[in-house]
């Protein structure tokens, strides 16, 4: 098959797309955008410049960072991928990608298997009752470890537990684990590409957990930004399609449409950040 850009004229909707003969609403609507799921989310987060990145907090974690117009082979367990290309004459923009198997599903395990919480929202409530993890770490390797380790024999564990730990510490450790694993991937991206993370745009159901978003900013040392429009995959697909048919002029106009709902600024002292990180590693 012919390699085509992410944004361009591919055809139009007709009966071969499953359109019913009496359905006129979508007839001849142009097909003008094509992106993979995570690439669309990256575009929907308007991560158009090297060092701009997104992380989707769902059942797992799905991270991607724009690395510019040259592909960066990974030596640290990541995937080198095409982010997008706008039009036949546009530059190909590349990205590095990593994924983690368990994030939101770890909270489901706390709820369904251990009975420690009644809902995902409870995890924030109980975690907030603690001022520190007190040396307790949870590694949610229920299906092995994905990026950047790729170890399918690894198994989940809780380490550092003492008689002084309680439900709040376990909930806190579950939330912190997602943030530590996110940092592992972005550290690997930085080592591979030499591009430093500028900010992290986030989406997915887990971003409603303000405790986790603040801890993520603290562990990365960069601003974490939650957008107004959370359906970033659909938004990215719409953006590339609209660019091809003139709905939007250029990337500058699209950047002007993106808006932040909440920003989480790092506030943890460096010594505490490194103490937490050493405990995880």
């Amino acid at each position: 098959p012919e390699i085509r850009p992410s944004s361009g004229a591919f055809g139009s909707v007709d009966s071969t797309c499953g359109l019913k003969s009496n359905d006129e609403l979508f007839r001849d609507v142009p097909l003008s955008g094509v992106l993979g799921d995570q690439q669309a989310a990256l575009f929907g987060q308007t991560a158009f410049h090297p060092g701009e990145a997104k992380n989707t907090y769902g059942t797992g974690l799905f991270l991607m960072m724009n690395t510019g117009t040259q592909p960066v082979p990974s030596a640290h367990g990541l995937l080198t991928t095409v982010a997008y290309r706008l039009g036949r004459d546009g530059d190909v923009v590349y990205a590095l990608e990593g994924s983690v198997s368990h994030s939101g599903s770890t909270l489901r395990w706390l709820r369904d298997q251990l009975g420690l919480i009644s809902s995902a929202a409870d995890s924030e409530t109980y975690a907030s009752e603690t001022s520190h993890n007190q040396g307790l770490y949870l590694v949610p390797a229920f299906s092995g470890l994905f990026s950047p380790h790729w170890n399918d024999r690894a198994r989940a564990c809780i380490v550092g537990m003492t008689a002084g730990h309680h439900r709040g510490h376990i909930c806190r450790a579950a939330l912190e684990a997602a943030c530590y694993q996110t940092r592992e991937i972005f550290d690997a991206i930085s080592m591979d590409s030499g591009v430093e993370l500028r900010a992290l745009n986030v989406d997915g159901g887990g971003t409603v957990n303000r405790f986790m978003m603040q801890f993520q900013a603290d562990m990365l040392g960069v601003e974490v930004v939650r957008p107004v429009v959370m359906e970033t995959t659909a938004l990215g697909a719409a953006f590339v399609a609209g660019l091809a048919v003139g709905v939007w002029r250029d990337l500058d106009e699209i950047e002007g449409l993106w808006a932040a709902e909440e920003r989480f600024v790092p506030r943890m002292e460096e010594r505490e950040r490194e103490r937490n990180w050493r405990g995880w590693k």
Side-chain angles (χ1 to χ4, degrees), residues 12 51 74 91 114 130 146 159 163 172 175 177 210 235 260 263:
S12 58
S74 178
D91 291 329
L114 300 188
T130 66
F146 287 18
V159 297
R172 183 184 186 112
L175 297 175
R210 298 184 76 255
L235 189 62
R263 298 176 182 271

Side-chain angles (χ1 to χ4, degrees), residues 3 5-7 35 82-93:
I3 297 175
S6 309
S7 180
L35 284 172
V82 172
Y84 60 86
R85 182 185 181 189
L86 303 179
R88 291 184 178 273
D89 299 326
D91 291 329
V92 178
V93 176

Side-chain angles (χ1 to χ4, degrees), residues 87-206:
R88 291 184 178 273
D89 299 326
D91 291 329
V92 178
V93 176
Y94 294 90
L96 283 169
E97 179 180 10
S99 60
V100 171
S101 62
H102 286 73
S103 178
S105 56
T106 304
L107 301 183
R108 187 167 64 237
W109 176 72
L110 294 183
R111 183 194 67 192
D112 297 344
Q113 301 301 111
L114 300 188
L116 293 182
I117 57 177
S118 299
S119 67
D122 287 345
S123 64
E124 180 173 10
T125 301
Y126 294 131
S128 298
E129 293 174 354
T130 66
S131 59
H132 193 268
N133 62 23
Q134 299 299 317
L136 179 68
Y137 292 85
L138 189 162
V139 182
F142 298 105
S143 302
L145 290 171
F146 287 18
S147 306
H149 306 285
W150 298 113
N151 183 349
D152 61 0
R153 300 184 66 182
R155 288 296 176 263
C157 60
I158 297 175
V159 297
M161 183 180 289
T162 70
H165 288 115
H166 54 70
R167 172 171 56 183
H169 292 105
I170 296 175
C171 290
R172 183 184 186 112
L175 297 175
E176 289 183 350
C179 304
Y180 293 132
Q181 290 179 291
T182 295
R183 175 169 167 176
E184 283 185 326
I185 291 178
F186 281 120
D187 282 356
I189 289 175
S190 178
M191 287 186 288
D192 275 335
S193 67
V195 177
E196 293 297 325
L197 180 66
R198 295 170 56 178
L200 179 62
N201 291 351
V202 298
D203 51 63

